[in-house]
Amino acid sequence: MKGEDIQLDNYVYELPDDRIARYPLDQRDSSKLLVYNNGTIAHEHFTDLPSNLPAETLLVFNDTKVIPARAYFKKETGAVIEILLLHPEAPTRVINDAMLVMHSCVWECMIGNKKRWKLKDTLTTEITVGNELVKLQVEYADYERNHVKLSWDQDIVFLEIVKALGEIPLPPYLNRDTEERDSQTYQTVYAHHDGAVAAPTAGLHFTPHIFEKLNAKGIRKSFLTLHVGAGTFQPIKVSSIIEHRMHSEQVVFTKELIDDLIQSPDMIVPVGTTSLRSLESLYWYGVKLFRKETSAFQIEKLYPYTFENQELPTASESLKAISDFMDQENLAELVGETEIFIFPGYQFRLCKGLITNYHQPGSTLILLVAALVGNDWKRIYSEALNNDYRFLSYGDSSLLWRNE
């Protein structure tokens, strides 16, 4: 199937408002688990996950951590300006490094009530960080591109400024204000690297108890980092899906992860669509190295679809090319950018299955699920609706094995 042939109407389902889980369950791992395997569907609980995974499975998690990226500033006129941090622009575009910048930085932002914030207006506020009173100034660095410069007068890293200033930005479809407990519940128990504006929500179900059961079975785990952006909630609004803008997201892979993948190239199961997109992007980066196209890690939106009837390296060959490159360059980690768009017709290269929640109708993530399981995505979602599953970020889970 080609992207031009895909009709978005075929990937829409009716999601009643009362099926959206606006709050999490009290116990993370008490959610339901739908298991799909080669056309069959079973209904279980998330605590049953280990028994549904072969012992040779390698689970790959996204260890990004959601930052309190939404902040509000009140002008002297009384107008309230909302700023949502999206991506650092200066002095570095590497998110992990941007969190450690002091005194000033520039970020691309989403701006609420922008018509009330003029080009030359400077927003000011005072915040308390530890025992320090910090004066913060916010102004435009580039009005048209929504690049915002933030400056502060103390020797404090930007991450501490964000923590004192902002709030966790919940997905818009939850249609409620952020509450104090969201700072814990909208975060995986293994979150480590600060920088996301949305959680990798498939991972919200995991608990120390689940990890103990996985370890007891010998199931291995490894971690990558994709700092999830607000683009994950962007609906498709164009008639031709390939014209949909996929926001570029930053991915970080350690040499340890690459070595783990090389050991288990045939039984890799990502936890969440962000992990899946990262792993498939990694394969295509290996293709670029294998073909000696470039050493820059940038996977364009439709790059995987440009090789019709061409022989490509195997998963093992791609991973070896990456490992060799990292050895040659003495790299402990890779930092890249990906816009990869996975829709029906895509041939998966690394991922055998997927652990994921239930996604919005007509979204890029529904297209990704349909690419994995084919038209059975409709049966899966119908079964979930008919069996009182909870949907979206705080909702229930599924284990989907790829149709061969």
Side-chain angles (χ1 to χ4, degrees), residues 27 146 173 220 303 387 392:
Q27 181 64 29
N146 285 350
Y173 50 64
R220 296 184 302 126
Y303 180 76
N387 285 273
L392 307 184

Side-chain angles (χ1 to χ4, degrees), residues 126-257:
E126 291 185 342
I127 56 175
T128 301
V129 181
N131 296 321
E132 299 285 345
L133 184 64
V134 180
K135 294 182 179 179
L136 179 69
Q137 291 189 329
V138 183
E139 58 193 329
Y140 284 110
D142 188 319
Y143 183 82
E144 298 301 326
R145 293 194 291 174
N146 285 350
H147 288 183
V148 172
K149 180 180 180 182
L150 303 99
S151 307
W152 56 101
D153 64 349
Q154 300 288 345
D155 294 335
I156 296 171
V157 298
F158 184 58
L159 178 58
E160 296 305 315
I161 298 294
V162 171
K163 288 180 177 179
L165 177 68
E167 68 176 29
I168 295 291
L170 291 181
Y173 50 64
L174 293 187
N175 196 28
R176 67 171 175 85
D177 294 334
T178 301
E179 300 178 11
E180 185 175 349
R181 64 173 172 168
D182 289 309
S183 62
Q184 298 297 321
T185 58
Y186 194 62
Q187 205 80 267
T188 64
V189 298
Y190 50 83
H192 183 63
H193 295 290
D194 294 276
V197 301
T201 55
L204 295 180
H205 307 280
F206 285 84
T207 62
H209 174 62
I210 295 294
F211 282 123
E212 288 174 6
K213 294 180 70 173
L214 291 167
N215 290 338
K217 191 171 180 180
I219 293 171
R220 296 184 302 126
K221 61 181 183 295
S222 197
F223 297 89
L224 54 80
T225 306
L226 181 146
H227 292 303
V228 191
T232 191
F233 305 121
Q234 190 72 26
I236 300 176
K237 297 180 179 179
V238 290
S239 56
S240 174
I241 66 154
I242 61 172
E243 294 177 5
H244 176 73
R245 181 192 174 194
M246 294 292 289
H247 290 77
S248 183
E249 293 174 297
Q250 197 166 101
V251 285
V252 182
F253 305 95
T254 63
K255 186 61 163 60
E256 182 181 4
L257 169 74

Side-chain angles (χ1 to χ4, degrees), residues 275-325:
S275 296
L276 184 148
R277 293 179 66 249
S278 299
L279 289 170
E280 292 296 313
S281 297
L282 185 67
Y283 167 82
W284 292 107
Y285 177 60
V287 169
K288 289 191 173 188
L289 294 176
F290 190 87
R291 293 165 57 91
K292 296 181 171 54
E293 291 181 17
T294 177
S295 61
F297 196 136
Q298 174 66 49
I299 306 303
E300 299 80 8
K301 179 176 72 172
L302 299 178
Y303 180 76
Y305 305 94
T306 60
F307 294 95
E308 188 173 0
N309 299 323
Q310 294 186 44
E311 186 173 346
L312 289 166
T314 65
S316 294
E317 289 171 335
S318 172
L319 292 169
K320 185 178 185 303
I322 295 168
S323 180
D324 290 346
F325 173 74

Side-chain angles (χ1 to χ4, degrees), residues 59 76 95 108 110 206 216 294 307 320 326 331 359 367:
L59 291 178
E76 293 180 358
I95 295 177
E108 178 188 358
M110 289 179 63
F206 285 84
T294 177
F307 294 95
K320 185 178 185 303
M326 294 183 75
L331 297 176
H359 307 290
L367 292 172

